Amino acid sequence: MAPTAEALAGPLLTHWPAHVRDHAAAGTQGSRRTRWPGSGTGGDETADGHRQALSGVAGTQGSKPVVVNHVKRAAGAVVGSVVGDALGAPFEFGPAGAFSARFPVPGTGGEMCGGGGWDTGEANDDTQMAVHVAESLVERGDPDLPDIFARFQRWATDEPKDIGLQTDDVLTSGLPWDQAAAAHFRRSHHAAGNGSLMRATPSAVYFAREGQQATMDAARRIAALTHGDPAAWEGTAIFHDLIRVALNSADPLDNLPQTLAAIHPDHREPARTSLLERAATR
């Protein structure tokens, strides 16, 4: 029997408080609802100041509390990224809009079609690397960067069906984990690909409860293993924070100004222009 989505995502949440991990708590704690650290949403902290506690109540709709099962949300994020990867892999190197042109009406069937060297439902290198990140976090705890890099290296030398040219160069350079990506960037001056973001959903879920600064810092550190350009670090940090916001039932696009304020000033305006233009077309 195939594992449920919750079983796949649950191990990433083992360091969360049990009352959040196992089931969303209906109602309130005492007389106040709790919230994600630094989220700015979901009510006040509990009276005893326990900032790390999280309730399952993310707000109200009318007079009814909105109950959030964070395990299901985490599963949706992780599994959704895998499904999206498998849907998009056959179109990866084609023209923009190719998928929508082929399947103009969503949900009519046949979208999981395979092609371009990929079997139907087969996910590509992004998901494969995401699995290695997830396994390392589950087995080792907070990011063990040498361990993640070693897992990437073993995967890269095992002849994967696809691997980005930059990632391959970094992982097979023979340099240590904390030097390889930086050396590649110094040599190429071109290392801001999206690969570090594409594998980031498991780590975004894992660090979501730690608050904005912690999850964005973790994103940067993991991204820097293969991408030496700080632009890639900041892009991945933005993604981590938007996942945090979404897991807390807020609208990531509404939160963009706060997220962008937390990235490095050198990258803030280009990111703002790109993301807000996309948000305007949603």
Side-chain angles (χ1 to χ4, degrees), residues 10-199:
L12 292 169
L13 311 182
T14 54
H15 67 307
W16 290 18
H19 73 284
V20 177
R21 181 179 69 245
D22 298 334
H23 194 272
T28 61
Q29 295 185 349
S31 61
R32 297 182 179 181
R33 288 192 290 271
T34 57
R35 64 179 179 181
W36 297 93
S39 67
T41 60
D44 297 326
E45 295 105 8
T46 53
D48 66 0
H50 182 46
R51 295 181 61 86
Q52 301 303 318
L54 304 175
S55 77
V57 181
T60 60
Q61 288 182 347
S63 61
K64 296 182 178 181
V66 178
V67 179
V68 178
N69 187 315
H70 289 94
V71 176
K72 288 184 180 292
R73 285 182 176 268
V78 173
V79 176
S81 69
V82 175
V83 171
D85 191 10
L87 282 169
F91 301 87
E92 183 173 9
F93 299 107
F99 182 90
S100 297
R102 182 169 175 181
F103 302 105
V105 180
T108 56
E111 294 94 339
M112 192 67 76
C113 58
W118 300 100
D119 296 333
T120 300
E122 184 179 14
N124 67 15
D125 52 319
D126 299 316
T127 290
Q128 292 163 17
M129 297 187 80
V131 169
H132 290 301
V133 173
E135 289 178 340
S136 180
L137 290 172
V138 169
E139 295 173 16
R140 312 281 290 197
D142 283 357
D144 183 334
L145 300 178
D147 179 71
I148 295 174
F149 190 78
R151 291 170 190 261
F152 286 168
Q153 284 183 309
R154 289 193 294 270
W155 165 77
T157 58
D158 197 31
E159 299 184 359
K161 182 179 287 189
D162 186 32
I163 182 172
L165 293 177
Q166 172 188 315
T167 299
D168 188 36
D169 285 346
V170 170
L171 296 177
T172 60
S173 68
L175 293 173
W177 68 271
D178 56 348
Q179 299 178 27
H184 176 272
F185 183 45
R186 287 195 301 269
R187 184 176 66 254
S188 69
H189 303 288
H190 179 72
N194 65 4
S196 62
L197 186 152
M198 296 293 287
R199 64 179 187 240

Side-chain angles (χ1 to χ4, degrees), residues 184-272:
H184 176 272
F185 183 45
R186 287 195 301 269
R187 184 176 66 254
S188 69
H189 303 288
H190 179 72
N194 65 4
S196 62
L197 186 152
M198 296 293 287
R199 64 179 187 240
T201 301
S203 53
V205 166
Y206 186 89
F207 290 103
R209 73 168 295 269
E210 305 295 338
Q212 183 184 68
Q213 181 175 342
T215 191
M216 295 180 82
D217 286 348
R220 295 179 180 105
R221 295 169 65 199
I222 298 173
L225 290 172
T226 53
H227 291 65
D229 191 330
W233 311 347
E234 297 305 310
T236 308
I238 290 170
F239 179 74
H240 259 228
D241 194 47
L242 296 184
I243 289 288
R244 177 188 67 85
V245 171
L247 287 175
N248 197 45
S249 296
D251 187 330
L253 298 181
D254 289 344
N255 198 73
L256 275 177
Q258 294 93 320
T259 299
L260 291 171
I263 69 171
H264 193 282
D266 290 350
H267 302 281
R268 189 174 298 148
E269 196 54 41
R272 185 192 311 276

